[in-house]
Amino acid sequence: MDQLLPFGDWFWWIAAGVLLILELTAPGVFFMFLAAAAVIVGVLDTALSLGWQIELTLFAGFSLIFVLAGRPFLKRRHMLDSDRPNLNRRMYDHVGKNFVLAEPVVDGKGRLRIEDTIWELRGPDLPQGARVKVTGVEGMRLKVEAA
């Protein structure tokens, strides 16, 4: 057998174990996909005695497939995990709520005080004291309309 690298049949199994340990110690869910690719290459190598070039090519291919296939699942899971999905995006908590303007909206721009925070807003020109409803978010600005 012509192997230039000093790896035996157990290399991919050990690599999978090391990648799973890295998964436990590092934030995120990336090494798990690489570990799965290493397990598949380990199974194929044990069954077929592949050359190292084919093993590395298969590992790269399976890693790419698993990472690309797993991304949509992780995005969906990440969005559903939190009981407070707007924790770091407080402006979305205000959408659909009504407030009273402390300052007038002039030329479509204004400011709105909500609790202890002053938010920039975009909306129709309105006088001070008018009731507004937050209809959306545009960057870091609240979009409002007359309530």
Side-chain angles (χ1 to χ4, degrees):
M1 186 175 293
D2 181 41
Q3 287 206 350
L4 298 176
L5 297 176
F7 304 139
D9 291 339
W10 288 95
F11 172 77
W12 292 106
W13 299 103
I14 294 168
V18 169
L19 288 167
L20 286 174
I21 290 170
L22 282 172
E23 179 67 38
L24 292 173
T25 60
V29 184
F30 178 73
F31 292 111
M32 178 178 68
F33 298 126
L34 301 181
V39 167
I40 289 180
V41 174
V43 168
L44 292 173
D45 185 38
T46 302
L48 305 173
S49 283
L50 303 170
W52 67 271
Q53 299 94 337
I54 294 173
E55 291 174 14
L56 288 177
T57 303
L58 287 173
F59 177 71
F62 283 125
S63 295
L64 184 65
I65 289 168
F66 288 150
V67 168
L68 292 178
R71 286 180 68 200
F73 168 75
L74 290 175
K75 282 185 181 180
R76 229 177 311 122
R77 186 179 146 262
H78 179 67
M79 295 302 278
L80 299 176
D81 270 353
S82 176
D83 61 337
R84 297 184 63 197
N86 295 330
L87 181 62
N88 291 324
R89 302 180 319 171
R90 288 181 26 211
M91 71 282 293
Y92 289 97
D93 285 337
H94 305 305
V95 174
K97 295 181 181 176
N98 293 325
F99 300 97
V100 177
L101 289 175
E103 299 177 17
V105 179
V106 180
D107 295 328
K109 299 177 185 177
R111 296 187 326 168
L112 177 63
R113 183 178 186 89
I114 302 174
E115 296 173 3
D116 61 345
T117 305
I118 297 176
W119 296 92
E120 288 187 28
L121 62 88
R122 297 281 188 254
D125 290 353
L126 295 166
Q128 178 180 354
R131 291 194 60 78
V132 294
K133 180 177 183 176
V134 178
T135 59
V137 175
E138 183 180 276
M140 292 298 293
R141 294 178 186 91
L142 300 175
K143 293 192 297 186
V144 299
E145 63 183 26

